[in-house]
Amino acid sequence: MSLIDTLTSFPLISPFIEFGFMRRALAGCLALSLGATPIGVFLMLRRMSLAGDAISHSILPGAAVGYLFAGLSLSAMTIGGLVAGIAVALLAGGVARNSVIKEDTSLATFYLMSLSAGVLIISMRGSNVDLLHVLFGSVLALDDAALLLLASFASCSIVAIALGLRLIVLECCDPAHLARISRLSPVAHYGFMVLVVLNLIGGFHALGTLMAVGIMILPSAAARFWVGNIVPLILVAVVIAFSGSLIGLLLSYYVNLPAGPAIVLTLGGLYLLSMAIGPLGPLVSHLRPRWHFER
Amino acid sequence: MTSSASPIVRFDNLTLGYNRHPAVHHLKGDIAAGSLLAVVGPNGAGKSTLLKGIVGELRPMQGNVELAGLKRENIAYLTQQSTLDSTFPIVIHDFVAMGLWSQFGAFRSFDRAARQRIEDAIAAVGLSGLENRPIGQLSGGQLQRARFARVILQDSPLVLLDEPYGAIDANTVRDLAALVRHWNAEGRTVISVLHDFDHVRQEYPETLLLAREVVARGATAEVLSEQNLLRARHLAEAQSQSPDAPICHTEHNTEKSTAEHRHS
């Protein structure tokens, strides 16, 4: 019995050995877990989880315009999405700073307009299948170009976080202090927003605009119940993101579920599990005996 | 407000305010390098505004603040309300280490000497042993100690403290006040906004009494006289009854004389 045959007999591994599209899906999820999830940790810590969601929807009209001109072309939709995502992030921030409208409302107004404009543009030209593809992604149909794109976005994010960790942490935890001691404060702010948009576009290709933010926020929130320091938090979130993707893909294979929602729902399940058994979760911290004179 | 020693801060007819309403008027004079100065006055007297003006967070409406041999980003400034997100998952060690920013910036890694300095700063504020505790688990006093440790690492010749002892127990105040004395003994200039007159009398040789304008400045015992405090209170009450109307004698006089001139 060859090694391949032995491995194929394991039900948890066999789908990835037998089918190329499953291997590609897993590689895509690995890239998203390594790139998008750490960015998601900072989004969560900056209390911008919903802002991330709003920006992910705002990518749609840009991607749709790309689609209008070039069909389901990866590069056209990526460039369109990038422009739209950054434009909405900047516009929403600008309106919030210069008017009575607060940032959450400002983002909501722009993303509602963007989402409806995007759906409108796609349904004008394309089929419902195309619309579903854009809204819910196609993690089981990632081609070489899409995988390369996901891998390069992940590489950019990892390098940016590794180099700028101190800057991003200070920008998140004490932005006013950073603004006082350094001129890099706007670089940190806008650089971070560009990373958010890049990773949302990566997530958009795999999981669609409605769920791209899922692989960013759910693992980050789950990890928060396990560790209380930033670097371990990022590592735990990445592990949760990849495990959730793996389980989600297997579920979709064996139970015949759509892969994108299966992954995001699995991540949701891991979040609930972490809340229940994580040492910093509400249950465990209530059950743990209180120590007097604890240092 | 003049002094014989070389000045570290010079106010040149400085007026600071918000939304075109002045909060500190026509401040003139120097703060000598190595001073230990308390800034006192009623609520709304412009004490915090003055510190914001010195660090450049607030642009002067008129006049100027000059700093001698010091960049604004190198001033150690402890704000009244911490802008810190205390739920952020960062441990005391890493939080305090951010004080080394002016020397190490965003990218350089800490060498052995720097790590030793971080350890020493944490020890100096009495938080040794808690290096790996997340800041979210600290009491108010411990968090203030950690903020002081960050100031130690900033190693700035000018330290600005805005009500550093609000809602903090007596032990912590005693320890942190000793630290402030130590900074001053090292030759650093310390300017503290404070409310506790007993503490000011005990710790600060020099005081500036503000009520949107300078009421008195000089030796603490003389500045904190019954008469001066009463005058500051009256000024503050008069201003709070008409908060939009700036008391700005020189401007009033000029406007008046110009108006009279036009009429004649």
Side-chain angles (χ1 to χ4, degrees):
Chain A
M1 207 174 174
S2 73
L3 179 67
I4 297 280
D5 291 337
T6 322
L7 288 175
T8 314
S9 63
F10 288 109
L12 295 184
I13 301 176
S14 64
F16 300 107
I17 292 177
E18 282 178 48
F19 299 104
F21 71 87
M22 287 294 279
R23 281 198 296 278
R24 287 169 173 281
L26 193 65
C29 288
L30 179 64
L32 280 179
S33 307
L34 288 171
T37 307
I39 299 290
V41 169
F42 287 106
L43 260 185
M44 169 189 72
L45 294 175
R46 293 180 66 164
R47 298 163 198 218
M48 285 178 66
S49 306
L50 284 173
D53 203 19
I55 295 171
S56 83
H57 294 349
S58 69
I59 288 168
L60 196 58
V65 169
Y67 168 81
L68 203 61
F69 286 108
L72 285 175
S73 144
L74 187 75
S75 46
M77 287 171 77
T78 299
I79 293 168
L82 198 62
V83 172
I86 291 175
V88 166
L90 291 179
L91 272 173
V95 170
R97 270 192 298 280
N98 299 307
S99 78
V100 290
I101 300 289
K102 296 264 187 290
E103 183 136 22
D104 59 333
T105 313
S106 179
L107 270 167
T109 55
F110 279 104
Y111 107 74
L112 287 167
M113 290 189 277
S114 309
L115 187 61
S116 37
V119 171
L120 205 76
I121 295 172
I122 292 171
S123 31
M124 263 164 38
R125 157 131 183 231
S127 66
N128 279 343
V129 176
D130 290 344
L131 187 60
L132 282 180
H133 168 90
V134 169
L135 289 179
F136 298 106
S138 47
V139 68
L140 296 183
L142 294 173
D143 56 14
D144 284 352
L147 267 187
L148 263 176
L149 187 85
L150 290 181
S152 23
F153 285 173
S155 309
C156 285
S157 308
I158 292 172
V159 170
I161 290 183
L163 282 178
L165 183 67
R166 209 178 282 166
L167 196 60
I168 302 176
V169 165
L170 192 50
E171 162 73 11
C172 283
C173 85
D174 201 347
H177 183 71
L178 177 65
R180 270 194 297 275
I181 60 172
S182 168
R183 300 205 176 109
L184 290 175
S185 172
V187 177
H189 181 75
Y190 292 110
F192 179 72
M193 291 315 287
V194 169
L195 283 178
V196 169
V197 174
L198 273 186
N199 282 287
L200 282 170
I201 291 174
F204 160 79
H205 285 301
L207 298 173
T209 176
L210 289 180
M211 282 180 296
V213 89
I215 201 162
M216 298 175 90
I217 299 301
L218 285 169
S220 313
R224 201 75 174 83
F225 294 126
W226 294 96
V227 279
N229 197 11
I230 181 68
V231 174
L233 185 70
I234 294 175
L235 298 177
V236 171
V238 167
V239 170
I240 293 177
F242 187 62
S243 327
S245 310
L246 182 66
I247 301 170
L249 282 174
L250 288 170
L251 273 178
S252 98
Y253 178 83
Y254 283 112
V255 194
N256 200 18
L257 299 172
I263 290 173
V264 176
L265 262 183
T266 308
L267 292 172
L270 290 179
Y271 167 71
L272 294 176
L273 184 72
S274 305
M275 196 193 294
I277 63 170
L280 304 179
L283 280 182
V284 175
S285 44
H286 270 103
L287 293 175
R288 198 170 34 204
R290 303 263 171 222
W291 293 100
H292 288 286
F293 312 115
E294 187 192 17
R295 264 189 82 93
Chain B
M1 289 206 292
T2 45
S3 177
S4 53
S6 64
I8 189 164
V9 183
R10 170 165 286 166
F11 302 118
D12 176 16
N13 194 27
L14 175 71
T15 299
L16 294 161
Y18 307 91
N19 299 327
R20 290 183 293 175
H21 295 307
V24 180
H25 293 262
H26 305 298
L27 201 58
K28 298 184 188 86
D30 299 338
I31 294 176
S35 301
L36 181 55
L37 174 72
V39 181
V40 299
N43 288 328
K47 306 180 296 294
S48 302
T49 306
L50 179 63
L51 298 193
K52 281 182 196 163
I54 295 173
V55 290
E57 224 163 76
L58 204 59
R59 278 170 173 274
M61 297 169 82
Q62 197 188 355
N64 218 342
V65 185
E66 287 168 33
L67 299 173
L70 176 68
K71 283 189 198 156
R72 291 190 194 281
E73 51 265 37
N74 291 345
I75 298 176
Y77 173 37
L78 201 72
T79 51
Q80 184 181 358
Q81 269 147 3
S82 173
T83 49
L84 172 72
D85 173 7
S86 60
T87 62
F88 193 90
I90 186 170
V91 295
I92 292 182
H93 176 276
D94 297 353
F95 171 74
V96 171
M98 284 173 183
L100 288 174
W101 189 282
S102 61
Q103 297 123 73
F104 286 82
F107 307 113
R108 271 183 60 201
S109 62
F110 297 140
D111 52 22
R112 181 180 296 200
R115 285 196 292 273
Q116 184 61 47
R117 282 176 62 200
I118 298 169
E119 209 175 290
D120 293 346
I122 293 174
V125 297
L127 290 180
S128 294
L130 300 182
E131 288 87 350
N132 291 319
R133 181 168 287 200
I135 52 168
Q137 293 177 14
L138 300 183
S139 68
Q142 285 172 326
L143 188 59
Q144 196 66 339
R145 285 173 190 264
R147 295 177 81 210
F148 266 70
R150 190 167 73 171
V151 170
I152 294 177
L153 290 181
Q154 280 183 276
D155 192 23
S156 169
L158 176 59
V159 180
L160 308 180
L161 307 173
D162 195 350
E163 298 192 26
Y165 310 129
I168 278 177
D169 67 37
N171 273 345
T172 307
V173 173
R174 194 195 55 220
D175 292 354
L176 296 181
L179 212 53
V180 169
R181 277 198 302 277
H182 177 66
W183 289 339
N184 186 242
E186 287 176 331
R188 300 178 208 277
T189 310
V190 182
I191 306 175
S192 305
V193 169
L194 294 161
H195 276 299
D196 180 350
F197 290 153
D198 291 337
H199 180 83
V200 172
R201 286 194 183 96
Q202 216 173 337
E203 300 280 342
Y204 287 77
E206 239 190 310
T207 297
L208 166 65
L209 175 58
L210 271 184
R212 294 209 197 179
E213 58 186 277
V214 177
V215 178
R217 156 131 199 226
T220 297
E222 290 162 29
V223 170
L224 295 183
S225 69
E226 284 292 326
Q227 202 183 4
N228 283 337
L229 293 176
L230 198 66
R231 200 175 141 233
R233 204 160 63 228
H234 283 155
L235 274 171
E237 278 165 10
Q239 286 153 1
S240 67
Q241 277 159 13
S242 54
D244 291 348
I247 299 174
C248 203
H249 301 298
T250 44
E251 269 175 20
H252 274 289
N253 294 344
T254 355
E255 275 165 24
K256 203 176 161 193
S257 59
T258 325
E260 279 167 4
H261 184 69
R262 278 197 202 118
H263 282 298
S264 63

